[in-house]
Amino acid sequence: MADDNRPQLANLISRHHLLVVLLAPSIREEPLRKDKLAGWGELSSEERRLRADIIAWSPRNAAEARQKLEYLARFIVATGVSFDADTHRVILESVAPFFG
């Protein structure tokens, strides 16, 4: 859509991936996560914001829907982070129109 001013999903994913690489050791260590991420302050806040933006992203087409699902799956595997039921619902509802 030419008039759609939203950032590209690929851009959000790229920015998020860079932060995950920086923060991954802290993200993976569940019991220590809060203490360790507290030291990263602004970076961890940006990671969470970008993750939320990706989760809430409404794909424009089937390719974006696949890109979103693939990236979130890679994020889960890389970090061990899990999503709650509401987050799963948001993700599935956003991609459902392309996999019906």
Coordinates of all heavy atoms in Angstrom, one line a residue:
M1 N 0.8 -1.2 0.0 CA 0.0 0.0 0.0 C 0.9 1.2 0.0 O 1.6 1.5 0.9 CB -0.9 0.0 1.2 CG -1.9 -1.1 1.3 SD -2.9 -0.9 2.8 CE -3.5 -2.5 2.9
A2 N 0.8 2.0 -1.0 CA 1.6 3.2 -1.2 C 1.3 4.2 -0.1 O 2.2 5.0 0.3 CB 1.4 3.8 -2.5
D3 N 0.1 4.3 0.4 CA -0.2 5.4 1.4 C -0.1 4.9 2.8 O -0.3 5.6 3.8 CB -1.6 5.9 1.2 CG -2.7 4.8 1.3 OD1 -2.3 3.6 1.3 OD2 -3.9 5.2 1.4
D4 N 0.4 3.7 3.0 CA 0.6 3.1 4.4 C 1.9 3.6 4.9 O 3.0 3.3 4.4 CB 0.6 1.6 4.3 CG 0.4 1.0 5.7 OD1 0.7 1.7 6.7 OD2 0.0 -0.2 5.8
N5 N 1.9 4.4 6.0 CA 3.1 5.0 6.5 C 3.7 4.2 7.7 O 4.7 4.6 8.3 CB 2.8 6.4 7.1 CG 2.5 7.4 5.9 OD1 3.1 7.3 4.9 ND2 1.6 8.3 6.2
R6 N 3.2 3.0 7.9 CA 3.8 2.2 9.0 C 5.2 1.7 8.6 O 5.5 1.6 7.4 CB 3.0 0.9 9.1 CG 1.6 1.1 9.6 CD 0.9 -0.2 9.9 NE 0.8 -1.1 8.8 CZ 0.4 -2.3 8.8 NH1 0.0 -2.9 9.9 NH2 0.4 -3.0 7.7
P7 N 6.1 1.5 9.6 CA 7.4 1.0 9.3 C 7.2 -0.4 8.7 O 6.2 -1.1 8.9 CB 8.1 0.9 10.6 CG 7.0 0.9 11.6 CD 5.8 1.6 11.0
Q8 N 8.2 -0.8 7.9 CA 8.2 -2.1 7.3 C 8.4 -3.2 8.4 O 9.2 -3.0 9.3 CB 9.2 -2.3 6.2 CG 9.0 -1.3 5.1 CD 7.8 -1.7 4.3 OE1 7.5 -2.9 4.1 NE2 7.0 -0.7 4.0
L9 N 7.7 -4.3 8.3 CA 7.9 -5.4 9.2 C 9.4 -5.8 9.3 O 10.0 -6.1 10.3 CB 7.0 -6.6 8.9 CG 7.2 -7.8 9.8 CD1 6.9 -7.5 11.3 CD2 6.3 -8.9 9.3
A10 N 10.0 -5.9 8.1 CA 11.4 -6.3 8.0 C 12.3 -5.4 8.8 O 13.3 -5.8 9.5 CB 11.9 -6.4 6.6
N11 N 12.0 -4.1 8.8 CA 12.8 -3.1 9.6 C 12.6 -3.4 11.1 O 13.6 -3.4 11.9 CB 12.3 -1.7 9.2 CG 13.2 -0.6 9.9 OD1 14.3 -0.9 10.3 ND2 12.6 0.5 10.0
L12 N 11.4 -3.6 11.5 CA 11.1 -3.9 13.0 C 11.9 -5.2 13.4 O 12.5 -5.2 14.4 CB 9.6 -4.1 13.2 CG 8.7 -2.9 13.1 CD1 7.3 -3.3 13.3 CD2 9.1 -1.8 14.2
I13 N 11.8 -6.2 12.5 CA 12.5 -7.5 12.8 C 14.0 -7.3 12.9 O 14.6 -7.8 13.8 CB 12.1 -8.5 11.8 CG1 10.6 -9.0 12.1 CG2 13.1 -9.7 11.8 CD1 10.1 -9.9 11.0
S14 N 14.5 -6.5 12.0 CA 16.0 -6.3 11.9 C 16.4 -5.6 13.2 O 17.4 -6.0 13.8 CB 16.4 -5.5 10.7 OG 17.7 -5.2 10.7
R15 N 15.7 -4.5 13.6 CA 16.1 -3.8 14.8 C 15.9 -4.6 16.0 O 16.8 -4.6 16.9 CB 15.2 -2.5 14.9 CG 15.6 -1.5 13.8 CD 14.6 -0.3 13.7 NE 14.1 0.2 14.9 CZ 12.9 0.8 15.1 NH1 12.1 0.8 14.1 NH2 12.6 1.3 16.2
H16 N 14.9 -5.4 16.1 CA 14.7 -6.3 17.3 C 15.7 -7.4 17.3 O 16.3 -7.6 18.4 CB 13.3 -7.0 17.2 CG 13.0 -7.8 18.4 ND1 13.1 -9.1 18.4 CD2 12.6 -7.4 19.7 CE1 12.7 -9.6 19.6 NE2 12.5 -8.6 20.4
H17 N 16.1 -8.0 16.2 CA 17.1 -9.0 16.2 C 18.4 -8.5 16.7 O 19.1 -9.2 17.5 CB 17.3 -9.5 14.8 CG 18.4 -10.5 14.6 ND1 18.3 -11.8 15.1 CD2 19.6 -10.4 14.1 CE1 19.4 -12.5 14.9 NE2 20.2 -11.6 14.3
L18 N 18.8 -7.3 16.3 CA 20.1 -6.7 16.9 C 20.1 -6.6 18.4 O 21.1 -6.9 19.0 CB 20.3 -5.3 16.2 CG 20.7 -5.3 14.8 CD1 20.8 -3.9 14.2 CD2 22.0 -6.1 14.5
L19 N 18.9 -6.2 18.9 CA 18.9 -6.1 20.4 C 18.9 -7.4 21.1 O 19.5 -7.6 22.1 CB 17.6 -5.3 20.8 CG 17.7 -3.8 20.5 CD1 16.3 -3.1 20.8 CD2 18.8 -3.1 21.3
V20 N 18.2 -8.4 20.4 CA 18.2 -9.7 21.0 C 19.6 -10.3 21.0 O 20.0 -10.9 22.0 CB 17.2 -10.7 20.2 CG1 17.4 -12.1 20.6 CG2 15.8 -10.2 20.4
V21 N 20.4 -10.1 20.0 CA 21.7 -10.6 20.0 C 22.5 -9.9 21.1 O 23.3 -10.6 21.8 CB 22.4 -10.3 18.6 CG1 23.9 -10.5 18.7 CG2 21.8 -11.1 17.5
L22 N 22.3 -8.7 21.4 CA 23.0 -8.0 22.5 C 22.6 -8.5 23.8 O 23.3 -8.7 24.8 CB 22.8 -6.5 22.4 CG 23.5 -5.7 21.4 CD1 23.1 -4.3 21.3 CD2 25.0 -5.8 21.6
L23 N 21.3 -8.7 24.0 CA 20.7 -9.1 25.3 C 20.4 -10.6 25.5 O 20.1 -11.0 26.6 CB 19.3 -8.3 25.4 CG 19.3 -6.8 25.4 CD1 17.9 -6.3 25.3 CD2 20.1 -6.3 26.6
A24 N 20.7 -11.4 24.5 CA 20.3 -12.8 24.5 C 20.9 -13.5 25.8 O 20.1 -14.3 26.4 CB 20.8 -13.5 23.3
P25 N 22.1 -13.3 26.2 CA 22.6 -14.1 27.4 C 21.7 -13.7 28.6 O 21.4 -14.6 29.4 CB 24.0 -13.6 27.6 CG 24.4 -13.2 26.2 CD 23.2 -12.6 25.6
S26 N 21.3 -12.5 28.7 CA 20.4 -12.1 29.8 C 19.0 -12.6 29.7 O 18.4 -13.0 30.6 CB 20.4 -10.6 30.0 OG 21.7 -10.1 30.3
I27 N 18.5 -12.6 28.4 CA 17.1 -13.0 28.2 C 17.0 -14.5 28.5 O 16.0 -15.0 29.0 CB 16.7 -12.7 26.7 CG1 16.6 -11.2 26.5 CG2 15.4 -13.4 26.3 CD1 16.4 -10.7 25.1
R28 N 18.0 -15.3 28.1 CA 18.0 -16.7 28.3 C 18.0 -17.2 29.7 O 17.5 -18.2 30.1 CB 19.1 -17.4 27.5 CG 18.8 -17.7 26.1 CD 19.9 -18.5 25.5 NE 20.3 -18.0 24.2 CZ 21.4 -17.3 23.9 NH1 22.3 -17.1 24.9 NH2 21.6 -16.8 22.7
E29 N 18.6 -16.4 30.6 CA 18.8 -16.8 32.0 C 17.6 -16.3 32.8 O 17.6 -15.3 33.5 CB 20.1 -16.2 32.5 CG 21.3 -16.7 31.8 CD 22.6 -16.0 32.2 OE1 22.6 -15.2 33.1 OE2 23.6 -16.3 31.6
E30 N 16.5 -17.1 32.7 CA 15.3 -16.8 33.3 C 15.3 -16.3 34.7 O 14.8 -15.2 35.1 CB 14.3 -18.0 33.2 CG 12.9 -17.7 33.7 CD 12.1 -16.7 32.9 OE1 12.3 -16.7 31.7 OE2 11.3 -16.0 33.5
P31 N 16.0 -17.0 35.6 CA 16.0 -16.6 37.0 C 16.7 -15.3 37.3 O 16.4 -14.5 38.2 CB 16.7 -17.7 37.8 CG 16.7 -18.9 36.9 CD 16.6 -18.3 35.5
L32 N 17.6 -15.0 36.4 CA 18.4 -13.8 36.6 C 18.0 -12.6 35.6 O 18.5 -11.5 35.7 CB 19.9 -14.1 36.3 CG 20.5 -15.2 37.1 CD1 21.9 -15.5 36.6 CD2 20.5 -14.8 38.5
R33 N 17.0 -12.9 34.8 CA 16.6 -12.0 33.8 C 16.3 -10.6 34.3 O 16.9 -9.6 33.8 CB 15.3 -12.5 33.1 CG 14.9 -11.6 31.9 CD 13.7 -12.0 31.2 NE 13.9 -13.4 30.8 CZ 12.9 -14.2 30.4 NH1 11.7 -13.7 30.2 NH2 13.1 -15.4 30.1
K34 N 15.5 -10.4 35.3 CA 15.2 -9.0 35.8 C 16.4 -8.3 36.3 O 16.6 -7.1 35.9 CB 14.1 -9.1 36.8 CG 12.7 -9.5 36.2 CD 11.7 -9.4 37.3 CE 10.4 -9.9 36.6 NZ 9.3 -10.1 37.5
D35 N 17.2 -8.9 37.0 CA 18.4 -8.2 37.6 C 19.4 -7.9 36.4 O 19.9 -6.8 36.4 CB 19.1 -9.1 38.6 CG 18.3 -9.4 39.8 OD1 17.5 -8.5 40.1 OD2 18.6 -10.4 40.5
K36 N 19.6 -8.8 35.5 CA 20.5 -8.5 34.5 C 20.0 -7.5 33.5 O 20.7 -6.6 33.0 CB 20.9 -9.8 33.7 CG 21.8 -10.7 34.6 CD 22.4 -11.7 33.7 CE 23.5 -12.4 34.5 NZ 24.4 -13.2 33.7
L37 N 18.7 -7.6 33.1 CA 18.2 -6.7 32.2 C 18.1 -5.3 32.7 O 18.1 -4.3 32.0 CB 16.8 -7.1 31.6 CG 16.9 -8.3 30.7 CD1 15.4 -8.7 30.2 CD2 17.7 -8.0 29.5
A38 N 17.9 -5.2 34.1 CA 17.8 -3.9 34.7 C 19.1 -3.0 34.4 O 19.0 -1.8 34.2 CB 17.7 -4.0 36.2
G39 N 20.2 -3.7 34.3 CA 21.4 -3.0 33.9 C 21.5 -2.5 32.5 O 22.2 -1.6 32.1
W40 N 20.6 -3.1 31.6 CA 20.6 -2.7 30.2 C 19.5 -1.7 30.0 O 19.4 -1.2 28.9 CB 20.4 -3.9 29.4 CG 21.5 -4.8 29.4 CD1 21.8 -5.8 30.2 CD2 22.6 -4.8 28.4 NE1 23.0 -6.4 29.9 CE2 23.5 -5.8 28.8 CE3 22.9 -4.0 27.3 CZ2 24.7 -6.1 28.1 CZ3 24.1 -4.3 26.6 CH2 25.0 -5.3 27.0
G41 N 18.7 -1.4 31.0 CA 17.7 -0.3 30.9 C 17.0 0.0 29.6 O 16.1 -0.6 29.2
E42 N 17.6 1.0 29.0 CA 17.0 1.5 27.7 C 17.0 0.4 26.6 O 16.0 0.3 25.9 CB 17.8 2.7 27.3 CG 17.0 3.6 26.3 CD 17.7 4.9 26.1 OE1 18.1 5.6 27.1 OE2 18.0 5.2 24.9
L43 N 18.0 -0.4 26.5 CA 18.0 -1.4 25.5 C 17.0 -2.5 25.7 O 16.3 -2.9 24.8 CB 19.4 -2.1 25.4 CG 20.5 -1.3 24.8 CD1 21.8 -2.1 24.9 CD2 20.2 -0.9 23.4
S44 N 16.8 -2.9 27.0 CA 15.8 -3.9 27.2 C 14.4 -3.3 27.0 O 13.5 -4.0 26.6 CB 15.9 -4.5 28.6 OG 15.8 -3.5 29.6
S45 N 14.2 -2.1 27.4 CA 12.9 -1.4 27.1 C 12.6 -1.4 25.6 O 11.4 -1.7 25.2 CB 12.8 0.0 27.7 OG 12.9 -0.1 29.1
E46 N 13.6 -1.0 24.8 CA 13.4 -1.0 23.4 C 13.2 -2.4 22.8 O 12.3 -2.5 21.9 CB 14.7 -0.4 22.7 CG 14.6 -0.3 21.2 CD 13.6 0.7 20.7 OE1 12.9 1.4 21.5 OE2 13.5 0.8 19.4
E47 N 13.8 -3.4 23.3 CA 13.6 -4.8 22.9 C 12.2 -5.2 23.1 O 11.5 -5.7 22.3 CB 14.6 -5.7 23.6 CG 14.4 -7.2 23.1 CD 13.3 -8.0 23.8 OE1 13.0 -7.8 25.0 OE2 12.7 -8.8 23.1
R48 N 11.6 -4.9 24.3 CA 10.3 -5.2 24.7 C 9.3 -4.5 23.8 O 8.3 -5.0 23.3 CB 10.0 -5.0 26.1 CG 10.6 -6.0 27.0 CD 10.2 -5.9 28.5 NE 10.4 -4.6 29.1 CZ 11.5 -4.2 29.6 NH1 12.5 -5.0 29.7 NH2 11.6 -3.0 30.1
R49 N 9.6 -3.2 23.5 CA 8.7 -2.4 22.7 C 8.7 -2.9 21.2 O 7.6 -3.1 20.6 CB 9.1 -0.9 22.7 CG 8.1 0.0 21.9 CD 8.7 1.4 21.7 NE 9.8 1.4 20.8 CZ 9.8 1.3 19.5 NH1 8.6 1.0 18.9 NH2 10.8 1.3 18.7
L50 N 9.8 -3.2 20.7 CA 9.9 -3.8 19.3 C 9.2 -5.1 19.3 O 8.5 -5.4 18.3 CB 11.3 -3.9 18.9 CG 12.0 -2.5 18.5 CD1 13.5 -2.7 18.3 CD2 11.4 -1.9 17.3
R51 N 9.4 -6.0 20.3 CA 8.7 -7.3 20.3 C 7.2 -7.1 20.3 O 6.5 -7.8 19.6 CB 9.2 -8.1 21.6 CG 8.6 -9.5 21.6 CD 8.9 -10.3 22.8 NE 10.0 -9.9 23.6 CZ 10.2 -10.2 24.9 NH1 9.2 -10.9 25.5 NH2 11.2 -9.8 25.5
A52 N 6.7 -6.2 21.1 CA 5.3 -5.9 21.2 C 4.8 -5.4 19.8 O 3.7 -5.8 19.4 CB 5.0 -4.9 22.3
D53 N 5.6 -4.6 19.2 CA 5.2 -4.1 17.8 C 5.1 -5.2 16.8 O 4.2 -5.2 16.0 CB 6.2 -3.0 17.3 CG 6.1 -1.7 18.1 OD1 5.1 -1.5 18.8 OD2 7.0 -0.9 17.9
I54 N 6.0 -6.1 16.9 CA 6.0 -7.3 15.9 C 4.8 -8.2 16.2 O 4.1 -8.6 15.3 CB 7.4 -8.1 16.0 CG1 8.5 -7.2 15.5 CG2 7.3 -9.4 15.3 CD1 9.9 -7.7 15.8
I55 N 4.6 -8.4 17.5 CA 3.4 -9.3 17.9 C 2.1 -8.6 17.4 O 1.2 -9.3 16.9 CB 3.4 -9.5 19.4 CG1 4.6 -10.5 19.8 CG2 2.1 -10.1 19.9 CD1 4.9 -10.5 21.2
A56 N 2.0 -7.3 17.6 CA 0.8 -6.6 17.2 C 0.6 -6.4 15.7 O -0.4 -6.0 15.3 CB 0.7 -5.3 18.0
W57 N 1.7 -6.6 15.0 CA 1.7 -6.2 13.6 C 0.6 -7.0 12.8 O 0.5 -8.2 13.0 CB 3.1 -6.6 13.0 CG 3.2 -6.3 11.5 CD1 2.9 -7.0 10.4 CD2 3.7 -5.0 11.0 NE1 3.2 -6.4 9.3 CE2 3.7 -5.1 9.6 CE3 4.2 -3.9 11.6 CZ2 4.1 -4.1 8.8 CZ3 4.6 -2.8 10.8 CH2 4.5 -3.0 9.4
S58 N -0.2 -6.3 12.0 CA -1.2 -6.9 11.2 C -0.6 -7.0 9.8 O -0.4 -6.0 9.1 CB -2.4 -6.0 11.1 OG -3.0 -5.8 12.3
P59 N -0.3 -8.3 9.4 CA 0.4 -8.5 8.1 C -0.5 -8.0 7.0 O -1.7 -8.0 7.0 CB 0.5 -10.0 8.0 CG 0.5 -10.5 9.5 CD -0.4 -9.5 10.1
R60 N 0.2 -7.5 5.9 CA -0.5 -6.9 4.7 C -0.7 -8.0 3.7 O -1.6 -7.8 2.8 CB 0.4 -5.9 4.1 CG 0.7 -4.7 5.0 CD 1.7 -3.8 4.4 NE 2.1 -2.8 5.5 CZ 3.2 -2.1 5.4 NH1 4.0 -2.2 4.4 NH2 3.5 -1.3 6.4
N61 N 0.0 -9.1 3.8 CA -0.2 -10.2 2.9 C 0.4 -11.5 3.5 O 0.9 -11.5 4.6 CB 0.6 -9.9 1.5 CG 2.0 -9.5 1.8 OD1 2.7 -10.1 2.5 ND2 2.4 -8.3 1.2
A62 N 0.3 -12.6 2.7 CA 0.7 -13.9 3.2 C 2.2 -13.9 3.5 O 2.6 -14.6 4.4 CB 0.3 -15.0 2.2
A63 N 3.0 -13.3 2.6 CA 4.4 -13.3 2.8 C 4.8 -12.6 4.2 O 5.6 -13.1 4.9 CB 5.1 -12.5 1.7
E64 N 4.1 -11.5 4.5 CA 4.4 -10.9 5.8 C 3.9 -11.8 7.0 O 4.6 -11.8 8.0 CB 3.7 -9.5 5.9 CG 4.6 -8.4 5.4 CD 4.1 -7.0 5.8 OE1 3.0 -6.9 6.5 OE2 4.7 -6.1 5.4
A65 N 2.8 -12.4 6.8 CA 2.3 -13.3 7.8 C 3.3 -14.4 8.1 O 3.6 -14.7 9.3 CB 0.9 -13.9 7.4
R66 N 3.8 -15.0 7.1 CA 4.9 -16.1 7.2 C 6.1 -15.5 7.9 O 6.7 -16.1 8.8 CB 5.2 -16.7 5.9 CG 4.2 -17.8 5.4 CD 4.8 -18.5 4.2 NE 5.0 -17.7 3.1 CZ 4.1 -17.2 2.2 NH1 2.9 -17.6 2.4 NH2 4.4 -16.5 1.2
Q67 N 6.5 -14.3 7.4 CA 7.7 -13.6 8.0 C 7.6 -13.4 9.5 O 8.5 -13.7 10.3 CB 8.0 -12.3 7.3 CG 9.2 -11.6 7.7 CD 9.4 -10.3 7.0 OE1 8.4 -9.7 6.4 NE2 10.6 -9.8 6.9
K68 N 6.4 -12.9 9.9 CA 6.1 -12.7 11.3 C 6.2 -14.0 12.1 O 6.9 -14.0 13.1 CB 4.7 -12.1 11.4 CG 4.3 -11.9 12.9 CD 2.9 -11.2 12.9 CE 2.4 -11.1 14.4 NZ 1.2 -10.3 14.5
L69 N 5.5 -15.0 11.6 CA 5.5 -16.3 12.4 C 6.9 -16.9 12.4 O 7.3 -17.4 13.5 CB 4.5 -17.3 11.7 CG 3.1 -17.0 11.9 CD1 2.2 -18.0 11.1 CD2 2.7 -17.0 13.3
E70 N 7.6 -16.9 11.3 CA 9.0 -17.4 11.3 C 9.9 -16.7 12.3 O 10.7 -17.3 13.0 CB 9.6 -17.4 9.9 CG 8.9 -18.4 9.0 CD 9.3 -18.2 7.5 OE1 10.1 -17.3 7.2 OE2 8.8 -19.0 6.7
Y71 N 9.8 -15.4 12.3 CA 10.7 -14.6 13.2 C 10.3 -14.9 14.6 O 11.3 -15.1 15.5 CB 10.6 -13.1 12.9 CG 11.5 -12.4 13.9 CD1 12.9 -12.5 13.7 CD2 11.0 -11.7 15.0 CE1 13.8 -11.9 14.6 CE2 11.9 -11.1 15.9 CZ 13.3 -11.2 15.7 OH 14.1 -10.6 16.6
L72 N 9.1 -14.9 15.0 CA 8.7 -15.1 16.4 C 9.1 -16.5 16.8 O 9.5 -16.7 17.9 CB 7.2 -14.9 16.6 CG 6.8 -13.4 16.5 CD1 5.3 -13.3 16.5 CD2 7.5 -12.6 17.5
A73 N 9.0 -17.5 15.9 CA 9.4 -18.9 16.2 C 10.9 -18.9 16.5 O 11.4 -19.5 17.4 CB 9.0 -19.8 15.1
R74 N 11.7 -18.2 15.6 CA 13.2 -18.2 15.8 C 13.5 -17.5 17.1 O 14.4 -17.9 17.8 CB 13.8 -17.4 14.6 CG 13.9 -18.3 13.4 CD 14.8 -17.7 12.3 NE 14.7 -16.3 12.1 CZ 13.9 -15.7 11.2 NH1 13.2 -16.5 10.4 NH2 13.8 -14.4 11.0
F75 N 12.8 -16.4 17.5 CA 13.0 -15.7 18.7 C 12.8 -16.6 19.9 O 13.6 -16.7 20.9 CB 12.0 -14.5 18.8 CG 12.0 -13.8 20.2 CD1 13.1 -13.0 20.6 CD2 11.0 -14.0 21.0 CE1 13.1 -12.4 21.8 CE2 11.0 -13.4 22.3 CZ 12.0 -12.6 22.7
I76 N 11.7 -17.4 19.9 CA 11.4 -18.4 21.0 C 12.5 -19.4 21.1 O 13.0 -19.7 22.2 CB 10.0 -19.0 20.8 CG1 8.9 -18.0 20.9 CG2 9.8 -20.2 21.7 CD1 7.5 -18.4 20.5
V77 N 12.9 -20.0 20.0 CA 14.0 -21.0 20.0 C 15.3 -20.4 20.5 O 16.0 -21.0 21.3 CB 14.1 -21.6 18.6 CG1 15.4 -22.5 18.6 CG2 12.9 -22.4 18.2
A78 N 15.6 -19.2 20.1 CA 16.9 -18.6 20.5 C 16.9 -18.2 21.9 O 18.0 -18.2 22.5 CB 17.2 -17.4 19.6
T79 N 15.8 -17.7 22.4 CA 15.8 -17.1 23.8 C 15.2 -18.0 24.9 O 15.4 -17.8 26.0 CB 15.1 -15.8 23.8 OG1 13.7 -16.0 23.5 CG2 15.8 -14.8 22.8
G80 N 14.3 -18.9 24.4 CA 13.6 -19.7 25.4 C 12.4 -19.0 26.0 O 11.7 -19.5 26.9
V81 N 12.1 -17.7 25.6 CA 11.0 -16.9 26.1 C 9.7 -17.6 25.5 O 9.7 -18.0 24.4 CB 11.1 -15.5 25.6 CG1 9.9 -14.7 25.9 CG2 12.3 -14.8 26.2
S82 N 8.7 -17.6 26.4 CA 7.4 -18.1 25.9 C 6.4 -17.0 26.0 O 6.6 -16.0 26.7 CB 7.0 -19.3 26.8 OG 6.8 -18.9 28.1
F83 N 5.3 -17.2 25.3 CA 4.3 -16.2 25.2 C 3.1 -16.7 26.0 O 2.8 -17.9 25.9 CB 3.9 -15.8 23.8 CG 5.0 -15.3 22.9 CD1 5.2 -15.7 21.7 CD2 5.8 -14.2 23.4 CE1 6.2 -15.2 20.9 CE2 6.8 -13.7 22.6 CZ 7.0 -14.1 21.4
D84 N 2.4 -15.8 26.6 CA 1.1 -16.2 27.3 C 0.0 -16.4 26.4 O 0.1 -16.1 25.2 CB 0.8 -15.1 28.4 CG 0.5 -13.7 27.9 OD1 0.1 -13.6 26.7 OD2 0.7 -12.8 28.6
A85 N -1.1 -16.8 26.9 CA -2.3 -17.2 26.0 C -2.8 -16.0 25.2 O -3.2 -16.1 24.1 CB -3.4 -17.8 26.9
D86 N -2.8 -14.8 25.9 CA -3.3 -13.6 25.2 C -2.4 -13.2 24.0 O -2.9 -12.8 22.9 CB -3.4 -12.4 26.1 CG -4.6 -12.6 27.1 OD1 -5.6 -13.3 26.7 OD2 -4.6 -11.9 28.1
T87 N -1.1 -13.4 24.2 CA -0.2 -13.0 23.1 C -0.3 -14.0 22.0 O -0.3 -13.6 20.8 CB 1.3 -13.1 23.7 OG1 1.4 -12.1 24.7 CG2 2.3 -12.7 22.6
H88 N -0.5 -15.3 22.3 CA -0.7 -16.3 21.3 C -2.0 -16.0 20.5 O -2.0 -16.1 19.2 CB -0.9 -17.7 21.9 CG 0.4 -18.4 22.2 ND1 0.9 -19.4 21.5 CD2 1.3 -18.1 23.2 CE1 2.0 -19.8 22.1 NE2 2.3 -19.0 23.1
R89 N -3.0 -15.6 21.2 CA -4.3 -15.2 20.5 C -4.1 -14.0 19.5 O -4.5 -14.1 18.4 CB -5.4 -14.8 21.5 CG -6.7 -14.5 20.9 CD -7.7 -14.0 22.0 NE -7.1 -12.9 22.8 CZ -6.9 -11.6 22.4 NH1 -7.2 -11.3 21.2 NH2 -6.4 -10.8 23.3
V90 N -3.4 -13.0 20.0 CA -3.1 -11.8 19.1 C -2.3 -12.2 17.9 O -2.6 -11.8 16.8 CB -2.3 -10.7 19.9 CG1 -1.8 -9.7 19.0 CG2 -3.2 -10.2 21.0
I91 N -1.3 -13.1 18.1 CA -0.5 -13.5 17.0 C -1.3 -14.3 16.0 O -1.3 -14.0 14.8 CB 0.7 -14.3 17.4 CG1 1.7 -13.5 18.2 CG2 1.4 -15.0 16.3 CD1 2.7 -14.3 19.0
L92 N -2.0 -15.3 16.5 CA -2.8 -16.1 15.6 C -3.9 -15.4 14.9 O -4.2 -15.6 13.7 CB -3.4 -17.3 16.4 CG -2.4 -18.3 16.9 CD1 -3.0 -19.4 17.7 CD2 -1.6 -18.9 15.7
E93 N -4.6 -14.5 15.6 CA -5.7 -13.7 14.9 C -5.1 -12.8 13.8 O -5.7 -12.5 12.8 CB -6.4 -12.8 16.0 CG -7.4 -13.7 16.8 CD -8.0 -12.9 17.9 OE1 -7.8 -11.6 18.0 OE2 -8.9 -13.4 18.6
S94 N -3.9 -12.3 14.0 CA -3.3 -11.4 13.0 C -2.9 -12.1 11.7 O -3.0 -11.5 10.6 CB -2.1 -10.7 13.6 OG -1.0 -11.5 13.7
V95 N -2.6 -13.4 11.8 CA -2.1 -14.1 10.6 C -3.2 -15.0 10.0 O -3.1 -15.5 8.9 CB -0.9 -15.0 10.9 CG1 0.3 -14.1 11.3 CG2 -1.1 -16.1 11.9
A96 N -4.3 -15.2 10.8 CA -5.4 -16.1 10.4 C -5.9 -15.9 9.0 O -6.2 -16.8 8.2 CB -6.5 -16.1 11.4
P97 N -6.1 -14.6 8.6 CA -6.7 -14.4 7.2 C -5.9 -14.9 6.1 O -6.4 -15.1 5.0 CB -6.8 -12.8 7.2 CG -6.8 -12.3 8.6 CD -6.0 -13.4 9.3
F98 N -4.6 -15.2 6.3 CA -3.7 -15.6 5.3 C -3.5 -17.2 5.3 O -2.8 -17.7 4.4 CB -2.4 -14.9 5.4 CG -2.5 -13.4 5.4 CD1 -2.4 -12.7 6.5 CD2 -2.8 -12.8 4.2 CE1 -2.6 -11.3 6.5 CE2 -3.0 -11.4 4.2 CZ -2.9 -10.7 5.3
F99 N -4.0 -17.8 6.3 CA -3.8 -19.3 6.4 C -5.2 -20.0 6.5 O -5.2 -21.1 7.1 CB -2.9 -19.6 7.6 CG -1.5 -19.0 7.4 CD1 -1.1 -17.9 8.1 CD2 -0.6 -19.6 6.5 CE1 0.1 -17.4 8.0 CE2 0.6 -19.0 6.3 CZ 1.0 -17.9 7.1
G100 N -6.2 -19.4 6.0 CA -7.6 -20.0 6.2 C -7.9 -21.0 5.3 O -7.9 -22.1 5.0

